[in-house]
Amino acid sequence: QVHVAESGGGLVQAGGSLRLSCAASGRTLSVYAMGWFRQAPGKEREFAAAIIRHDGSTYYADSMKGRLTISRDNAKNTVYLQMNSLKPEDTAVYYCAATETLRVTAPEAYGYWGQGTQVTVSS
């Protein structure tokens, strides 16, 4: 079992930045990748970014590429999501998740999810 917990959400003005953190615990050696997803009200959960645990390779959603940076600290079992140039349409609950599979952009491939952290971007 792997447990993940997000932190760092909040209210920010358009154009601002936020850094989200995700701490993993439990059977973390079985984790292949950590991902960030987001879900806005009335919309489906969508992929934002992912990072491969063993080599640090990163993946980003095309719609957010250039504004997001995902990074990891394996010693702390923590993954970070730096978000810059935030827009009101980035308002959503952001979820961290862990997968043991190679399908790092598909939410259905992730078996372990955090509770989510709210990010609100005001105009």
Side-chain angles (χ1 to χ4, degrees):
Q1 191 80 348
V2 178
H3 302 279
V4 295
E6 311 91 341
S7 61
L11 174 64
V12 63
Q13 288 189 329
S17 299
L18 274 178
R19 189 176 84 152
L20 307 181
S21 299
C22 173
S25 60
R27 290 178 52 195
T28 57
L29 290 180
S30 69
V31 172
Y32 177 75
M34 299 290 293
W36 285 97
F37 296 80
R38 68 182 187 180
Q39 188 166 17
K43 295 188 177 181
E44 292 188 354
R45 193 168 298 188
E46 64 174 345
F47 169 75
I51 188 164
I52 307 303
R53 187 177 181 277
H54 73 273
D55 69 2
S57 297
T58 57
Y59 300 81
Y60 296 99
D62 288 342
S63 61
M64 290 177 271
K65 194 175 293 184
R67 299 192 296 122
L68 302 182
T69 302
I70 188 170
S71 60
R72 80 200 195 292
D73 183 337
N74 282 351
K76 297 181 179 179
N77 285 320
T78 300
V79 172
Y80 305 96
L81 184 68
Q82 177 69 40
M83 304 188 293
N84 299 323
S85 302
L86 285 164
K87 306 173 183 179
E89 51 265 42
D90 292 320
T91 295
V93 177
Y94 284 71
Y95 296 91
C96 179
T99 181
E100 298 168 338
T101 79
L102 302 180
R103 297 174 59 213
V104 300
T105 65
E108 63 269 19
Y110 285 75
Y112 308 100
W113 291 84
Q115 295 295 313
T117 185
Q118 177 70 46
V119 171
T120 303
V121 184
S122 63
S123 57

